[in-house]
Amino acid sequence: MKHLNKLFAIVCLFIVLGIQAQDANRPWAISFGASAVDTKVSSATNMNDQFSEYFNAKSHWNTLPSVSYLKVSKYVGDNFTFGVTGSISTIKRFVNTKDASGKYPVTNPGDLAYYGADVNINYSFAQLLGLKKLDPNAIIGGGYTFMGTASAGTINGGLGLTYWVGEQVGFTYQTVYKYSFDETRNPNVDVASHSQHFIGLVFKFGGVDTDGDGIFDREDACPEVAGLKQFNGCPDTDADGIIDSADACPDVFGLATLNGCPDTDGDGITDKEDACPEAAGSKALRGCPDADADGIADKDDKCPKVKGPKENAGCPWPDTDGDGVFDKDDKCPEVKGTVGNNGCPEVADDAVKQLGEYAKTILFNTGKSSFKKQTMPILKSITAILKEYPTAKFSIEGHTDSTGTEGLNNNLSVERANAVKNFLVENGIAADRLTATGFGKAKPIDSNDTEAGRSNNRRVEVKLQK
């Protein structure tokens, strides 16, 4: 018996170390412990006597001081379990039929060896009753029993109760009545009907957990990848509370509102889509800030604190002369002008009048287009006025009196107009701003009959072109 006890201890240790704590997916169970054989039930002639001393272990039960039964079972579905049980004992207390005094004498039939081999089907009521730790069950089955030199088949039925102290370990108790087909109550000749009690430990095992995450494959939504119980066995690699399959950024801790992706700067744009992940910005600029609100991201804005157009890299256009017309549009960027005149100054009426006065005093040598010496300051004054209006255009008109032929006068008037133009060009006035025309004697402003009149008609006029 000592060796048998050691064998059971080794089996127990192997099971405890070899299985993992699981739940209903453990289809296999092994139970072992002590058993007791009682022949009182079959000796009584009425129901009251059969159960009157049902648990009288001291007087009726036959036990061994060792592990005396082993049961292996497998869950087959719908609360049914199929099992095979082997048990041993020694019959030292055999209950005889009632004697004349109304008692059931107990005798020793000769320390008969007892062996039982049974198959049974158990039905568990735990799920039906909504129980978790307590597991009441009913047993039905059959077997073959050896009692001394006698042996016989039996039909079995009984009840049991298991208390689960953990997810896989429990204490079990069962009572089974074995009805013998060879009932003459003659020890060593036949096998009397009897009851057998079992008390011991039960271990559940056998579930498949491919990924080793503590969740059986049949309940594991991701059976080949270790995961978490709250996600039915599927992983959450970044531990952000979002299952990898629904996580747009499964390797980086993120926010549920952004499908598991991080948003370092808190601007509502995921880091992987944010061109500026560490500075809060707008969706329009792919998550980048725009301090001056000019529609250009600060990282691309050469003047991030001053509003400016995109065409100038976010900087405002310069206005050198401060006339309200940007240099890029200002035809006179260094001279203050008006918006209506593209940034250039409007030619004042006083300036036009002054040009007219100066032009009247331009003097030429007689019959020539060369200037008299005293005319040079006048020409310089005209030049100064034209430079004040760098975009204004002027016409220079030459006129003569009626003296001389028409052809001579026409040529002289053209030459004198060109002489003035050439002087102005040579002194910094753009040639495309000036036109020179000669009218000869065609446009007199006074009478050619007097010397004073003819002097007035010999003239050069500088006029603003509009």
Side-chain angles (χ1 to χ4, degrees), residues 39 41-43 94 152-153 177-186 190-194:
T39 58
V41 174
S42 62
S43 67
F94 190 85
Y177 177 73
K178 294 184 176 182
Y179 176 79
S180 174
F181 292 101
D182 188 10
E183 172 65 275
T184 60
R185 301 197 61 75
N186 189 358
D190 64 3
V191 175
S193 296
H194 58 280

Side-chain angles (χ1 to χ4, degrees), residues 1-318:
M1 290 299 177
K2 292 181 179 180
H3 295 294
L4 185 59
N5 286 338
K6 291 180 180 179
L7 177 61
F8 275 105
I10 292 172
V11 171
C12 176
L13 181 62
F14 172 77
I15 293 171
V16 172
L17 295 179
I19 61 177
Q20 297 177 335
Q22 302 294 340
D23 47 32
N25 285 299
R26 302 174 184 84
W28 289 94
I30 187 168
S31 175
F32 57 87
S35 68
V37 179
D38 184 2
T39 58
K40 171 69 187 312
V41 174
S42 62
S43 67
T45 56
N46 59 70
M47 185 68 68
N48 289 336
D49 287 347
Q50 287 178 354
F51 294 99
S52 62
E53 297 183 19
Y54 194 77
F55 291 104
N56 191 343
K58 184 175 181 180
S59 299
H60 301 161
W61 288 13
N62 296 276
T63 61
L64 290 176
S66 65
V67 174
S68 56
Y69 87 90
L70 174 67
K71 180 180 179 179
V72 178
S73 60
K74 186 177 188 297
Y75 180 76
V76 293
D78 294 329
N79 301 317
F80 285 99
T81 302
F82 176 81
V84 177
T85 304
S87 59
I88 60 173
S89 189
T90 300
I91 305 301
K92 294 181 180 182
R93 298 182 179 94
F94 190 85
V95 182
N96 294 294
T97 57
K98 185 186 294 186
D99 60 14
S101 65
K103 296 182 179 181
Y104 292 90
V106 179
T107 61
N108 186 342
D111 290 357
L112 302 180
Y114 177 94
Y115 299 97
D118 303 288
V119 295
N120 50 70
I121 295 176
N122 284 38
Y123 181 81
S124 171
F125 295 96
Q127 185 176 0
L128 183 65
L129 299 175
L131 302 175
K132 292 184 178 180
K133 289 186 175 294
L134 284 177
D135 183 7
N137 54 85
I139 306 111
I140 189 171
Y144 204 80
T145 302
F146 297 85
M147 191 179 295
T149 58
S151 63
T154 61
I155 294 177
N156 307 335
L159 296 172
L161 181 67
T162 300
Y163 177 74
W164 295 104
V165 296
E167 291 184 331
Q168 81 227 44
V169 182
F171 296 104
T172 184
Y173 176 82
Q174 291 182 343
T175 293
V176 178
Y177 177 73
K178 294 184 176 182
Y179 176 79
S180 174
F181 292 101
D182 188 10
E183 172 65 275
T184 60
R185 301 197 61 75
N186 189 358
N188 255 344
V189 176
D190 64 3
V191 175
S193 296
H194 58 280
S195 60
Q196 190 171 11
H197 312 287
F198 303 89
I199 185 168
L201 291 172
V202 58
F203 297 89
K204 293 191 295 185
F205 65 98
V208 179
D209 180 15
T210 301
D211 53 21
D213 59 3
I215 303 169
F216 285 134
D217 286 2
R218 64 178 294 178
E219 292 184 354
D220 197 329
C222 303
E224 297 183 357
V225 183
L228 304 174
K229 188 174 183 179
Q230 62 264 38
F231 295 131
N232 296 324
C234 289
D236 175 16
T237 303
D238 53 17
D240 59 2
I242 304 168
I243 190 172
D244 284 0
S245 61
D247 196 329
C249 303
D251 298 320
V252 185
F253 187 94
L255 306 174
T257 53
L258 295 176
N259 296 322
C261 289
D263 176 18
T264 302
D265 54 20
D267 59 3
I269 303 169
T270 62
D271 287 357
K272 70 177 184 178
E273 296 176 344
D274 198 328
C276 303
E278 296 183 357
S282 65
K283 288 185 178 180
L285 296 175
R286 296 183 58 229
C288 290
D290 178 15
D292 56 13
D294 60 2
I296 303 168
D298 288 353
K299 68 182 183 67
D300 300 320
D301 197 331
K302 290 185 178 180
C303 301
K305 296 183 179 180
V306 183
K307 185 178 292 189
K310 185 176 181 180
E311 293 77 12
N312 200 38
C315 292
W317 293 110

